[in-house]
């Protein structure tokens, strides 16, 4: 696999050195082309040392074996990444200008192209730049949104080159994962819910959200359009996923039902509270001597059950069952009762499984029979769960 990194003249050019190194470390062949202005910010020798390949700047550089270099680099590339991309290079690409090695090579490349802009906020927000970006998106270029913060020019706002770890992840997502969920809409619930007793206290559980977040990331890596409806967690939001933050079971149900019709796949990984206080006190409940307070509880709406019994024709539904005893029997009952296609059964009794852990032990429960998955990380298990879902959907088509 070959990545062609194009570096244009922004102060963020130095960050591209780390990117080229990460791609190289991951085993990719990396070629770098710099614009002449980029060479004011970083020396080509940096890239040559990190990638082991000549870093090319000028179209008429005579100092290498003769090939029509812009065409051969374009042909060899499996992905072109322009990072950082200035307003100038975006403008040139959008308007068909090819007046140096970087822009001629981009024009000659037929592989996927990603652009990570970096510029001053006013330049980024300039309608001409925004029009150029829209035009390139229409032509199939993928943009990696810049970050917001203190810019090198001293201004505060949007325009910082996106975090290079995020750029790396998005490039990997594009280049090295199978895209068997491309075009599919996947809704995932994750984390615990909090059911308020009063403004200070609530009922919750030990869920960390790790399983649902790992599933969301895995589905996005495979090209799905993912909505993650998340209870309160301390986890970083997965890249490129539409995360909807909710607090209570009621909020989670509302967020799911609102988006129910358009989904292809549901994965209910949240540990939704089964009960909530009948009344939430508007003021903090004070303790009184000799009095033991009683909290009356009522059932929350069962989201999986509701979606399972109002599902559209081809919608696929996967639930979870966390048990402490009779794992398989209880999970099989849930599959039937909630009208799901699959239940991922996990036991709190298995070492390294369950809440907060990065690993899990899951048995897939389906009408056709059960499948025990190996003890793996939640991220690895996510891919096996998605493999099963994709294969079920394909065999039903
Ligand atoms: N679930 C849901 N809405 C709820 C409760 C649970 O969507 N109000 C979903 C969970 O996300 C999970 C599955 O249902 O996918 C868990 O089933 P459930 O019967 O709630 O498991 P437990 O809470 O463990 O139930 P029980 O007390 O019967 O064991």
């Amino acid at each position: 696999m070959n990545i062609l990194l194009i570096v244009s003249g922004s102060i963020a050019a130095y960050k591209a050195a780390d990117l080229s190194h990460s791609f190289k470390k991951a085993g990719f062949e990396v070629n770098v082309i710099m614009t002449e202005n980029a060479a004011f910010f970083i020396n080509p020798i940096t890239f040559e040392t990190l990638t082991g390949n000549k870093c090319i700047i000028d179209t008429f550089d005579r100092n290498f074996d003769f090939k029509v270099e812009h065409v051969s680099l374009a042909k060899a590339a499996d992905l072109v990444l322009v990072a950082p991309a200035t307003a100038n290079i975006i403008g040139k690409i959008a308007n068909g200008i090819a007046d140096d090695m970087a822009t001629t090579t981009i024009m000659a490349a037929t592989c996927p192209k990603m652009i990570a802009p970096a510029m001053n906020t006013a330049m980024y927000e300039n309608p001409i730049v925004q029009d150029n970006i829209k035009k390139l998106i229409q032509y199939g270029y993928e943009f990696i949104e810049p970050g917001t913060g203190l810019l090198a020019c001293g201004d505060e706002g949007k325009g910082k080159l996106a975090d290079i770890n995020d750029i790396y992840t998005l490039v990997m997502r594009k280049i090295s994962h199978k895209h068997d969920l491309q075009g599919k809409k996947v809704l995932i619930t994750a984390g615990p819910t909090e059911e308020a007793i009063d403004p200070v206290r609530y009922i919750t559980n030990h869920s960390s959200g790790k399983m649902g977040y790992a599933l969301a990331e895995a589905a996005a890596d495979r090209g799905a359009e993912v909505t993650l409806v998340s209870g309160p967690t301390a986890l970083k939001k997965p890249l490129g996923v539409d995360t909807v933050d909710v607090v209570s079971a009621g909020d989670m149900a509302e967020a799911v039902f609102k988006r129910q019709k358009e989904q292809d796949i549901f994965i209910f990984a949240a540990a939704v509270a089964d009960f909530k206080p009948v009344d939430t006190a508007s003021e903090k409940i004070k303790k009184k001597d000799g009095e033991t307070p009683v909290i009356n509880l009522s059932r929350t709406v069962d989201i999986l059950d509701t979606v399972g019994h109002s599902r559209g024709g081809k919608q696929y539904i996967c639930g979870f069952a966390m048990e402490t005893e009779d794992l398989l029997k209880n999970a099989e009952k849930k599959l039937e009762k909630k009208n799901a296609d699959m239940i991922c059964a996990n036991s709190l009794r298995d070492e390294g499984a369950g809440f907060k852990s990065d690993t899990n032990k899951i048995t897939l429960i389906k009408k056709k029979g059960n499948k025990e998955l190996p003890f793996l990380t939640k991220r690895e298990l996510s891919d096996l769960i998605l493999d099963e879902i994709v294969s079920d959907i394909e065999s039903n088509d």
Side-chain angles (χ1 to χ4, degrees):
M1 283 284 203
N2 185 307
I3 296 181
L4 176 58
L5 175 62
I6 301 206
V7 182
S8 64
S10 147
I11 178 62
Y14 76 93
K15 296 183 183 169
D18 268 346
L19 262 177
S20 70
H21 184 50
S22 304
F23 293 140
K24 181 79 185 167
K25 266 202 312 202
F28 291 93
E29 182 67 21
V30 185
N31 286 104
V32 180
I33 298 179
M34 294 166 79
T35 63
E36 278 186 20
N37 284 340
F40 288 114
F41 292 98
I42 184 164
N43 195 299
I45 295 171
T46 308
F47 290 112
E48 290 177 348
T49 312
L50 292 171
T51 66
N53 284 323
K54 182 169 167 56
C55 173
I56 298 168
I57 304 173
D58 177 38
T59 325
F60 300 106
D61 184 348
R62 316 301 307 154
N63 193 16
F64 50 80
D65 292 345
F66 181 76
K67 274 184 271 165
V68 183
E69 205 68 13
H70 67 275
V71 177
S72 64
L73 283 176
K75 271 191 190 153
D78 294 294
L79 183 134
V80 173
L81 169 68
V82 189
T86 57
N88 183 48
I89 200 167
I90 292 171
K92 282 194 199 172
I93 309 168
N95 291 286
I97 297 168
D99 63 352
D100 60 5
M101 189 68 184
T103 46
T104 42
T105 309
I106 294 169
M107 193 176 269
T110 53
C111 62
K113 296 177 206 89
M114 300 177 83
I115 298 184
M119 65 195 79
N120 165 273
T121 310
M123 290 173 82
Y124 184 69
E125 287 172 354
N126 186 311
I128 300 174
V129 173
Q130 287 302 317
D131 279 351
N132 286 335
I133 291 176
K134 275 190 211 118
K135 188 170 168 189
L136 287 171
I137 290 172
Q138 277 167 8
Y139 282 123
Y141 289 71
E142 206 167 292
F143 274 78
I144 301 175
E145 230 183 288
T148 301
L150 183 65
L151 307 178
C153 57
D155 285 359
E156 186 103 29
K158 193 166 183 173
K160 270 166 86 87
L161 181 69
D163 184 291
I164 59 157
N165 294 320
D166 291 352
I167 298 177
Y168 178 82
T169 306
L170 291 171
V171 168
M172 289 300 126
R173 183 171 282 175
K174 189 90 194 157
I175 203 168
S176 61
H177 290 280
K178 50 184 170 185
H179 289 126
D180 52 1
L181 286 172
Q182 195 77 44
K184 296 271 186 242
K185 290 197 162 76
V186 180
L187 186 144
I188 297 169
T189 65
T193 64
E194 292 175 358
E195 312 303 323
I197 298 168
D198 67 15
V200 180
R201 309 171 179 100
Y202 53 82
I203 299 171
T204 190
N205 57 63
H206 292 295
S207 169
S208 63
K210 283 181 179 171
M211 191 69 236
Y213 274 59
L215 279 157
E217 193 181 87
D221 280 348
R222 292 164 77 146
E225 199 180 308
V226 184
T227 305
L228 175 66
V229 181
S230 171
T233 76
L235 302 175
K236 185 175 178 248
K237 307 241 176 292
L239 265 183
V241 165
D242 178 22
T243 305
V244 182
D245 288 315
V246 296
V247 177
S248 68
D251 299 340
M252 187 173 273
E254 196 186 317
V256 172
F257 299 155
K258 207 167 109 185
R259 296 165 176 82
Q260 187 178 341
K261 275 209 183 82
E262 65 256 32
Q263 305 303 324
D264 298 298
I265 298 165
F266 297 91
I267 306 178
F268 294 106
V272 189
D274 289 320
F275 303 98
K276 62 176 184 192
V278 173
D279 298 307
T280 301
S282 55
E283 303 299 336
K284 184 181 171 198
I285 300 168
K286 302 298 284 179
K287 54 186 172 297
K288 293 184 190 125
D289 285 345
E291 201 180 286
T292 311
V294 174
I295 301 168
N296 289 314
L297 300 173
S298 65
R299 288 288 297 270
T300 56
V301 53
D302 191 317
I303 308 167
L304 165 53
D305 193 277
T306 310
V307 174
H309 289 97
S310 58
R311 60 200 290 172
K314 285 191 158 183
Q315 289 182 320
Y316 190 98
I317 301 178
C318 168
F320 271 73
M322 160 69 78
E323 306 290 344
T324 55
E325 53 184 356
D326 293 333
L327 175 69
L328 302 184
K329 218 170 83 206
N330 282 329
E332 280 158 13
K333 268 194 222 153
K334 271 174 203 168
L335 178 79
E336 183 74 27
K337 185 165 172 285
K338 302 198 184 198
N339 199 26
D341 296 290
M342 181 163 81
I343 293 283
C344 302
N346 47 165
S347 168
L348 210 52
R349 299 284 177 240
D350 281 334
E351 188 144 339
F355 297 129
K356 298 203 165 57
S357 161
D358 288 324
T359 49
N360 208 355
K361 178 87 188 68
I362 283 178
T363 304
L364 302 179
I365 313 287
K366 296 200 292 186
K367 284 199 188 88
K368 279 188 271 175
N370 301 345
K371 187 191 265 186
E372 207 178 315
L373 301 181
F375 178 76
L376 288 170
T377 65
K378 288 182 174 172
R379 183 61 178 77
E380 289 164 330
L381 281 166
S382 297
D383 267 314
L384 297 186
I385 294 167
L386 292 173
D387 283 348
E388 196 71 20
I389 295 176
V390 168
S391 128
D392 283 353
I393 290 176
E394 278 169 2
S395 58
N396 281 340
D397 273 347

